[in-house]
Amino acid sequence: MNRFVAYVATKRALAEELVDSEVFRGCRTAIYAAGEPMLRRAQEAGVARPDATFDDVLRLLSGITAAQFTEPGQRERVLGFALDGLRQPTAAR
């Protein structure tokens, strides 16, 4: 996810132009085909929240890639916070 967020953040203008194109729809299909099973396996292993959907994850990542960050490393730090929130909560918190 770190590499995905870093990559998409650099391609925002291109993504805005392609949002309703056949290329974008094909990429979206490929991302869901890879991401949904990955999230499901993480949920089955007990490391990801059972109430998260892959659509939730993509919206979370989309928000992070769209945001403007002012200091080096801030995007990665915010992504870390988001990923912590996707993890299965432990009972001892």
Side-chain angles (χ1 to χ4, degrees), residues 4-90:
F4 176 75
V5 167
Y7 176 77
V8 173
T10 65
K11 308 296 184 213
R12 282 191 356 227
L14 180 61
E16 289 171 10
E17 292 298 316
L18 294 175
V19 74
D20 207 22
S21 71
E22 187 64 34
V23 170
F24 185 83
R25 286 189 292 278
C27 290
R28 181 178 171 84
T29 299
I31 288 169
Y32 271 84
E36 285 179 324
M38 193 178 338
L39 176 60
R40 189 171 38 256
R41 285 191 304 271
Q43 289 168 324
E44 289 167 357
V47 295
R49 294 172 57 122
D51 60 338
T53 66
F54 189 67
D55 193 55
D56 295 335
V57 174
L58 278 185
R59 290 180 189 279
L60 181 70
L61 296 177
S62 294
I64 293 170
T65 60
Q68 297 291 323
F69 293 94
T70 57
E71 63 181 76
Q74 189 176 21
R75 182 182 315 274
E76 292 79 15
R77 201 168 48 251
V78 170
L79 177 59
F81 301 148
L83 293 175
D84 285 345
L86 284 172
R87 289 187 179 92
Q88 174 75 309
T90 61

